[in-house]
Amino acid sequence: MDSQIRKIHQQLVNKDMTCTQLVQEKLEALKQNTHNTVNALLSDTALALAAKVDAKIANGEPIGLLEGIPFGIKDVYMVQGTYTTASSNLLKNYKSAYTATAIQKLLDAGAIPLVKENCDSFGHGSSSENTIFGAVKNAKNPELVGGGSSGGSAVNVAKDYTVFSIGGDTGGSIRQPAGYNGVYGLKPTYGRVSRYGLMAYASSTDCVGPIAKSIEDVRIVLNVISGKDIKDQTTYTSEAISEDSILNSDGIKTVGYFKNFIENDAIDAEIKTDFLNTIEKIKAKGIEVKALDFFDSNTLVSTYYTLAMAETASNLSRLDGTNYGNRIEAENLKETYAVTRSENFSEETKRRIVGGNQVLSQGFSDEIYLKGLNLRDEIAANFEHDFNEVDVVISPVTPNTPPKIGDSLKDPLAMYLSDAYTVGFSLGQLPTITIPQGTATGLQITAAKHNDELVLKFANFLKDTI
């Protein structure tokens, strides 16, 4: 199988290049890049780690598969001693006191962190424009958005600035930018990877996942970062996914798709045509394809944003300049809190906090928030029924192609609706991968909970089918 990780590993072992040379080359490319993907370079750390890998190789010692492999980190993950800004003004000078579990596992495996990557502030956005570091520019066309909120991570992988990157997905924040930039992006089953050390946006749907240029690299990274963590009680023990296991897709007999996603006035005509062509190619391989009923896009988006805004309002209440962030003094303590948050949060973050406080407030929580929770349960039940009928579900990643930079900022509602095809799978806490095939912004493959191996199997099958 294609794998940049394996290729680079072999080059290092064969001494075709040194790890220091590799890291210097990547750092230089990141330094010169004009796509606004970099919040901070980790040059000193990266070069020091590369020198250790070179020393091991020179001494004839074996190195692990990920040892010496350069990667990027979305700037919402704690990495001890580095600036962790969440692309926000409030935390622009904040240094991490500890390292996130997923990142620590990669460091323990010998992977080399190169860069903290640009993203929508606190993950609030679908375009990576809501950032103090400037809008991330699409890898294919710099006039278009890079997608969000993990836009910097997806663009860095697409441009070969990093071998892989660790993004964060709450309602599509790995899958959508992966689709916009033509790479693979996986949202694992909720709880497969620890969220400890990830700045919380919406705790019930936040997921840690890899972005890479091949299915094999996604699999390799997923195996390393997965597992139970006593610091995150939502995690569970999971078995490693073997390379051989995803080469055989014979067990996949039935594929479903949501017909209301396709029979929708909002979908781009070309994306619809390409998706229907993909279905015909799958049928030609002898696989049964079923059209399924699902909730309409507006219900999915409104349910997701109701719950996500409520959770982010709660999660960000701690950021008032007292213990964290850029404090702005005012006449009294109450005013200090108000000014600090008003001046330092982006317009989109403030919009989500205000919306969250509204749906949680007395008189509205029963009418809006509890209704959202009930709808989430109905969505989960719908998925459970669907996966009794089909093995996997495929869908477009987005209804439309990437907008021009600036357009989403003028129309927040359009930005929210761009998540219409990703948020449902987040609410269901299901494993979902974006593949760079099938439509202009890729395809999503989704399976039932804990069936991450199945989505990788079918992704590998489609790689050679469409």
Side-chain angles (χ1 to χ4, degrees), residues 254-448:
T254 313
V255 172
Y257 74 94
F258 297 129
K259 59 187 178 185
N260 61 302
F261 280 11
I262 308 306
E263 299 165 4
N264 191 316
D265 293 338
I267 191 172
D268 180 271
E270 185 180 350
I271 289 179
K272 178 178 179 178
T273 300
D274 289 345
F275 182 80
L276 292 174
N277 287 338
T278 295
I279 284 176
E280 292 307 313
K281 290 176 183 176
I282 292 171
K283 286 180 179 177
K285 291 290 185 179
I287 294 175
E288 183 184 2
V289 178
K290 288 186 177 182
L292 304 170
D293 293 315
F294 199 47
F295 293 79
D296 67 76
S297 301
N298 288 337
T299 300
L300 293 172
V301 171
S302 59
T303 301
Y304 168 75
Y305 276 103
T306 293
L307 301 178
M309 286 183 177
E311 290 185 37
T312 205
S314 175
N315 282 325
L316 294 188
S317 62
R318 74 195 78 175
L319 298 182
D320 56 21
T322 302
N323 294 316
Y324 313 100
N326 181 32
R327 183 182 178 96
I328 300 173
E329 296 291 345
E331 291 181 8
N332 54 56
L333 188 59
K334 186 177 180 180
E335 282 297 307
T336 295
Y337 290 160
V339 173
T340 295
R341 288 166 67 82
S342 179
E343 294 296 320
N344 284 311
F345 282 139
S346 70
E347 291 304 308
E348 184 58 36
T349 294
K350 285 187 279 190
R351 187 179 292 118
R352 296 187 187 206
I353 291 172
V354 169
N357 285 330
Q358 174 79 354
V359 303
L360 290 172
S361 62
Q362 189 173 4
F364 288 94
S365 61
D366 287 355
E367 183 181 342
I368 303 175
Y369 181 66
L370 294 183
K371 185 178 180 181
L373 290 175
N374 289 332
L375 275 167
R376 183 173 67 184
D377 290 342
E378 290 178 30
I379 290 165
N382 197 114
F383 281 130
E384 196 170 328
H385 174 267
D386 289 340
F387 286 117
N388 285 327
E389 292 193 21
V390 301
D391 299 310
V392 295
V393 168
I394 64 167
S395 63
V397 180
T398 61
N400 302 103
T401 53
K404 285 188 174 181
I405 289 173
D407 287 357
S408 297
L409 296 178
K410 298 173 195 169
D411 190 354
L413 180 58
M415 180 181 68
Y416 298 159
L417 291 173
S418 73
D419 296 335
Y421 296 169
T422 56
V423 294
F425 304 122
S426 294
L427 291 167
Q429 301 184 337
L430 306 176
T432 307
I433 192 171
T434 287
I435 64 170
Q437 295 169 276
T439 79
T441 58
L443 288 174
Q444 281 182 110
I445 302 166
T446 307

Side-chain angles (χ1 to χ4, degrees), residues 7 16 48 61 75 112 115 167 186-188 192 223 233 265 300-301 306 349 366 376 395 397:
K7 180 182 175 183
D16 295 333
E61 298 176 46
D75 198 11
I112 296 180
V115 56
L186 174 70
K187 183 195 85 65
R192 184 183 180 100
N223 280 342
Q233 294 303 305
D265 293 338
L300 293 172
V301 171
T306 293
T349 294
D366 287 355
R376 183 173 67 184
S395 63
V397 180

Side-chain angles (χ1 to χ4, degrees), residues 233-244:
Q233 294 303 305
T234 65
T235 55
Y236 61 90
T237 302
S238 56
E239 289 187 13
I241 300 170
S242 71
E243 182 180 3
D244 288 344

Side-chain angles (χ1 to χ4, degrees), residues 25-104:
E25 180 185 303
K26 298 290 187 189
L27 287 171
E28 194 58 35
L30 283 164
K31 198 180 295 181
Q32 294 180 8
N33 102 84
T34 56
H35 289 261
N36 289 341
T37 62
V38 176
N39 286 5
L41 288 176
L42 309 179
S43 305
D44 292 345
T45 299
L47 289 169
L49 291 172
K52 290 181 180 179
V53 174
D54 287 334
K56 285 185 72 171
I57 294 169
N59 291 333
E61 298 176 46
I63 61 169
L65 186 56
L66 276 181
E67 207 159 348
I69 304 297
F71 74 104
I73 304 167
K74 181 179 180 180
D75 198 11
V76 290
Y77 289 96
M78 303 297 172
V79 180
Q80 189 172 20
T82 70
Y83 287 105
T84 302
T85 71
S87 295
S88 71
N89 203 51
L90 185 69
L91 296 177
K92 63 184 178 183
N93 296 314
Y94 175 71
K95 277 194 173 182
S96 307
Y98 64 98
T99 298
T101 296
I103 306 304
Q104 188 61 56

Side-chain angles (χ1 to χ4, degrees), residues 81-286:
T82 70
Y83 287 105
T84 302
T85 71
S87 295
S88 71
N89 203 51
L90 185 69
L91 296 177
K92 63 184 178 183
N93 296 314
Y94 175 71
K95 277 194 173 182
S96 307
Y98 64 98
T99 298
T101 296
I103 306 304
Q104 188 61 56
K105 287 184 173 185
L106 290 167
L107 297 177
D108 292 344
I112 296 180
L114 294 183
V115 56
K116 301 298 283 289
E117 297 167 320
N118 199 359
C119 56
D120 283 301
S121 179
F122 295 105
H124 298 159
S126 306
S127 64
S128 290
E129 293 174 281
N130 299 300
T131 162
I132 62 171
F133 296 100
V136 174
K137 298 176 183 178
N138 190 282
K140 299 177 181 178
N141 181 349
E143 292 184 359
L144 306 179
V145 301
S149 60
S150 307
S153 303
V155 172
N156 279 342
V157 170
K159 299 294 287 185
D160 287 319
Y161 300 145
T162 61
V163 177
F164 68 90
S165 287
I166 299 299
D169 193 306
T170 306
S173 292
I174 286 175
R175 291 163 286 152
Q176 185 248 45
Y180 278 3
N181 293 283
V183 292
Y184 292 90
L186 174 70
K187 183 195 85 65
T189 299
Y190 179 82
R192 184 183 180 100
V193 183
S194 173
R195 292 175 294 114
Y196 180 74
L198 164 65
M199 286 190 197
Y201 164 16
S203 303
S204 67
T205 57
D206 284 343
C207 288
V208 179
I211 299 172
K213 274 195 161 180
S214 72
I215 299 161
E216 176 63 358
D217 287 349
V218 167
R219 183 194 70 83
I220 290 168
V221 175
L222 178 65
N223 280 342
V224 171
I225 62 178
S226 296
K228 190 164 182 62
D229 180 13
I230 59 170
K231 296 170 183 172
D232 178 359
Q233 294 303 305
T234 65
T235 55
Y236 61 90
T237 302
S238 56
E239 289 187 13
I241 300 170
S242 71
E243 182 180 3
D244 288 344
S245 70
I246 66 171
L247 294 175
N248 185 353
S249 60
D250 292 348
I252 299 173
K253 305 295 186 185
T254 313
V255 172
Y257 74 94
F258 297 129
K259 59 187 178 185
N260 61 302
F261 280 11
I262 308 306
E263 299 165 4
N264 191 316
D265 293 338
I267 191 172
D268 180 271
E270 185 180 350
I271 289 179
K272 178 178 179 178
T273 300
D274 289 345
F275 182 80
L276 292 174
N277 287 338
T278 295
I279 284 176
E280 292 307 313
K281 290 176 183 176
I282 292 171
K283 286 180 179 177
K285 291 290 185 179

